[in-house]
Amino acid sequence: MWMSAWRASAVFAPQPPCLPTRSPALRGTAPEPEPRRLRQRRARTSLRAARASRGDYDAVVVGSGIGGLCAAATLARYGKKVLCVEAHDTAGGAAHGFKRRVPKLGTFRFDTGPSFFSGLSAPETARINPLKAVLDLLETEVLCHRYESFGLCLPEGHFTHTRGFGKEVLAEVSGEAAVKEWEALLQAMKPLAALVEALPVPALRLDPSVLLTAGPFLPKFLAAANPLEALQLKDPFAKTLSRAGLKDPFARRWLDLLCFCLSGLPADGTVTAEMAMMFGEFYKPGATMDYPVGGVQSLVRVLTEALAKYQGELRLRAEVEEILVERNKACGIRLKSGEELRCSTVICNTSCWDLMKLLPPDSLPDAWRRERESTPACRSFMHLHLGFDMKGLDALQEHYICLEDWGRGVDAEENALLISIPSVEDKTLAPEGFGVLHAYTPATESWERWKDLDRKSQEYQDLKEARVQFLWRQLERVIPDLRQRAKVQLVGTPLTHRRFLRRFQGSYGPAISAKEGQEFPGPLTPLPGLLLCGDSCFPGIGVPAVAASGLLAAHASGLDTLRPQADALRRLFG
């Protein structure tokens, strides 16, 4: 998980140009020359209209979150004519950033969403980390700070988490018997991680051509583990833990919490494949975590620059009103402005609930529509962004996971908190001597208490103040005098989440549980020409997962991507 987001400034739709009128007295005289800016705007509009009438785009991607940008940039890299449209005034979806300027102090730069990354800076991780694979495919990179630890504030005390968690934290809390169980788990996870690594996501397709792209990797995949172990990748992670013999209560609780932070569900609802990838990046020798230099928006910038480099287009403030359907095929989009853009394939990077609002009522089978609309939703978030005085705080970790009470469950309201303090590594995000911090509840905030409130009402303000107190209490376990140090305070709620991300009920995403045998659907839909990507699709929630969904959607687009995909695989993996 490690994600949540909102825009911190209002987004205004662009206004139509105001044309000068001529008085009756001037009729018949030579017209005044148009201002240069107006001529340029008219030329751009004419070009877009011409493209729309010719159907010049191979693909239009709706939404510039990480999944949408990965799909758009991949297709552009393959030589396709691609347009990515975004309703807001900045790209990135939940991964964009914003800033606040404080008089006499300077500017504080905040991440709105994911801030906990791994596998971005090590060259060998392209096989196991889909986002790293996309960056390599695009022949670009994001510079990162690398660090090896994060903090834990648990009922048992305060700890530092490293790749040596078993011999350090677990030994202190539970003793040597638990350490042996942990070591056995690490051994049991190795072949599962090897399976994930042996068949990289960039090699996958959803048509018979997968034999050509994935075929060269199959010998290593088959040699990595026996077929029964491969089947375990679909099991709930709790089942894998039991199979490995992990019984220690503290270790099981910790992995329950870690699963919840990554996927939005405890270990009994998280699929083993996701945790196999995570174990490969967290606990192997030399494992480090990454933070993009300049903030997470640097990652978004790298992806948008790659899209432009390969002649793809990105249009901001371009809100989609409807996905166009003709002759039972998605053929383009209509923007709120009335402009229509035609294409061969529409890739929609929205949630499964918000997708339905963009489609004509009779464009999808009723059963398929009802199934998607009835998908259970994860809960929403409370957020607190702070700009604060960092003087004397030299021992801070970049991240903390806090939990009050194991007995209430890791998914209980006001029990868990995630804290990101990127200024520990990146001093450019705040004025000298100051830092930025983002704390948020990991999808544990109920939508119901917020849904009927007016954001401008006193009742809303009072509820914000009451619900943010839990965040303050947990933060004060890390920095006791933080309230006195704070110079910037911004509180976000589920309504904030819905407003700026246009998320159904401000939700983190679908609550699709491996415990119930449920699986995230793939990118295909019953409507020809319409594909999906993002966290409502396989592999699911989280930055690596949505990057993978973008790759899968690009390869399923029905466009001629086989040859460029094969060429990219040879460059990436030999």
Side-chain angles (χ1 to χ4, degrees):
M1 172 196 292
W2 312 85
M3 70 163 269
S4 47
W6 76 81
R7 276 300 293 158
S9 59
V11 179
F12 297 96
Q15 299 299 312
C18 183
L19 301 180
T21 58
R22 299 174 61 205
S23 70
L26 294 178
R27 288 174 186 163
T29 63
E32 298 176 4
E34 285 185 328
R36 180 181 179 186
R37 232 174 8 177
L38 188 57
R39 293 199 307 272
Q40 291 173 336
R41 182 181 297 174
R42 194 184 299 280
R44 287 195 298 270
T45 302
S46 299
L47 176 61
R48 290 169 182 165
R51 279 182 167 165
S53 65
R54 295 196 305 266
D56 263 3
Y57 293 112
D58 293 314
V60 170
V61 179
V62 179
S64 69
I66 296 295
L69 287 176
C70 286
T74 296
L75 286 173
R77 177 70 180 87
Y78 291 168
K80 308 305 172 186
K81 295 181 181 179
V82 183
L83 171 68
C84 183
V85 293
E86 169 58 51
H88 291 318
D89 61 354
T90 187
H96 64 257
F98 67 94
K99 58 187 178 182
R100 279 288 184 271
R101 179 167 178 78
V102 177
K104 299 182 181 180
L105 287 182
T107 299
F108 295 81
R109 293 175 173 82
F110 297 97
D111 296 325
T112 58
S115 55
F116 192 94
F117 296 87
S118 62
L120 292 183
S121 56
E124 71 277 5
T125 57
R127 282 182 173 272
I128 199 169
N129 188 310
L131 179 56
K132 173 60 173 171
V134 170
L135 294 173
D136 286 356
L137 184 150
L138 299 174
E139 298 180 325
T140 189
E141 63 178 345
V142 57
L143 297 179
C144 292
H145 299 285
R146 302 181 73 178
Y147 58 102
E148 298 181 350
S149 63
F150 57 89
L152 302 176
C153 299
L154 304 176
E156 292 81 359
H158 289 224
F159 307 97
T160 299
H161 180 284
T162 70
R163 59 181 175 271
F165 173 82
K167 294 181 179 179
E168 298 166 0
V169 179
L170 195 54
E172 180 179 343
V173 174
S174 300
E176 288 303 314
V179 174
K180 291 180 180 178
E181 291 181 4
W182 182 262
E183 294 296 329
L185 172 64
L186 294 181
Q187 291 301 315
M189 294 300 296
K190 283 183 179 179
L192 300 179
L195 282 169
V196 175
E197 182 177 352
L199 191 59
V201 172
L204 300 181
R205 296 179 66 89
L206 298 178
D207 58 35
S209 299
V210 70
L211 297 176
L212 299 176
T213 57
F217 300 92
L218 287 179
K220 184 174 181 179
F221 179 80
L222 296 173
N226 63 55
L228 291 178
E229 287 176 322
L231 293 175
Q232 293 176 26
L233 291 174
K234 298 178 65 175
D235 287 341
F237 189 53
K239 185 175 180 180
T240 299
L241 296 179
S242 297
R243 190 183 293 118
L246 186 69
K247 300 177 181 178
D248 178 71
F250 175 71
R252 294 291 295 245
R253 288 166 177 164
W254 159 243
L255 291 174
D256 227 17
L257 178 57
L258 187 58
C259 285
F260 187 65
C261 293
L262 292 170
S263 74
L265 293 168
D268 62 1
T270 301
V271 68
T272 293
E274 182 170 359
M275 298 306 292
M277 185 192 78
M278 187 281 300
F279 262 70
E281 293 188 344
F282 263 43
Y283 295 118
K284 66 182 180 182
T288 62
M289 285 147 286
D290 302 306
Y291 181 77
V293 174
V296 179
Q297 54 264 45
S298 297
L299 171 60
V300 175
R301 186 187 69 249
V302 164
L303 289 171
T304 56
E305 288 175 351
L307 175 64
K309 179 174 70 173
Y310 296 114
Q311 309 306 310
E313 297 179 39
L314 171 66
R315 287 180 60 179
L316 303 175
R317 301 185 182 91
E319 183 177 352
V320 175
E321 182 176 64
E322 185 178 12
I323 295 173
L324 301 176
V325 179
E326 295 177 0
R327 298 179 182 178
N328 196 38
K329 182 183 185 301
C331 60
I333 59 172
R334 180 184 298 113
L335 300 179
K336 288 278 189 178
S337 64
E339 182 181 0
E340 292 189 359
L341 300 165
R342 301 281 171 158
C343 60
S344 300
T345 299
V346 176
I347 300 177
C348 199
N349 181 32
T350 68
S351 76
C352 54
W353 310 282
D354 297 300
L355 167 69
M356 303 307 165
K357 304 172 186 176
L358 302 178
L359 287 164
D362 58 349
S363 58
L364 289 167
D366 288 342
W368 193 91
R369 182 185 288 270
R370 285 195 300 270
E371 181 184 0
R372 293 299 184 272
E373 289 177 333
S374 64
T375 300
C378 291
R379 285 169 289 175
S380 191
F381 302 84
M382 287 297 299
H383 303 269
L384 181 59
H385 285 87
L386 298 176
F388 66 103
D389 187 340
M390 280 190 72
K391 295 181 181 68
L393 301 176
D394 299 327
L396 287 177
Q397 296 284 333
E398 180 155 348
H399 292 279
Y400 291 86
I401 302 178
C402 299
L403 189 99
E404 274 196 343
D405 181 3
W406 292 117
R408 294 175 55 208
V410 298
D411 55 353
E413 278 197 333
E414 294 194 333
N415 196 25
L417 187 73
L418 304 182
I419 304 170
S420 172
I421 316 177
S423 296
V424 170
E425 296 291 337
D426 195 327
K427 306 302 182 186
T428 68
L429 302 175
E432 184 176 357
F434 292 84
V436 293
L437 176 156
H438 178 204
Y440 54 99
T441 56
T444 58
E445 184 69 13
S446 171
W447 167 254
E448 293 301 314
R449 67 166 53 89
W450 298 90
K451 64 178 183 179
D452 297 323
L453 294 182
D454 180 348
R455 292 184 301 103
K456 298 179 181 179
S457 69
Q458 187 60 46
E459 183 182 5
Y460 176 70
Q461 297 302 323
D462 292 344
L463 186 58
K464 277 176 66 174
E465 181 63 22
R467 297 300 291 174
V468 79
Q469 294 309 310
F470 167 74
L471 282 71
W472 277 114
R473 290 197 304 272
Q474 297 306 307
L475 285 166
E476 287 167 341
R477 296 172 70 183
V478 178
I479 308 173
D481 60 344
L482 183 57
R483 294 185 198 237
Q484 291 73 44
R485 291 174 174 269
K487 305 299 180 183
V488 179
Q489 301 181 36
L490 300 167
V491 179
T493 73
L495 294 185
T496 319
H497 217 69
R498 182 186 66 174
R499 180 187 179 197
F500 290 111
L501 286 188
R502 301 167 188 265
R503 296 287 288 197
F504 172 75
Q505 297 182 354
S507 171
Y508 178 40
I512 295 179
S513 173
K515 179 181 180 180
E516 307 298 331
Q518 300 169 340
E519 295 181 0
F520 280 87
L524 301 178
T525 74
L527 180 63
L530 176 64
L531 295 169
L532 309 177
C533 67
D535 60 14
S536 287
C537 303
F538 176 83
I541 290 175
V543 172
V546 297
S549 79
L551 272 176
L552 291 172
H555 294 157
S557 63
L559 304 173
D560 180 19
T561 59
L562 177 58
R563 185 182 296 276
Q565 181 186 1
D567 291 343
L569 289 171
R570 282 191 290 271
R571 287 194 306 273
L572 286 175
F573 306 115

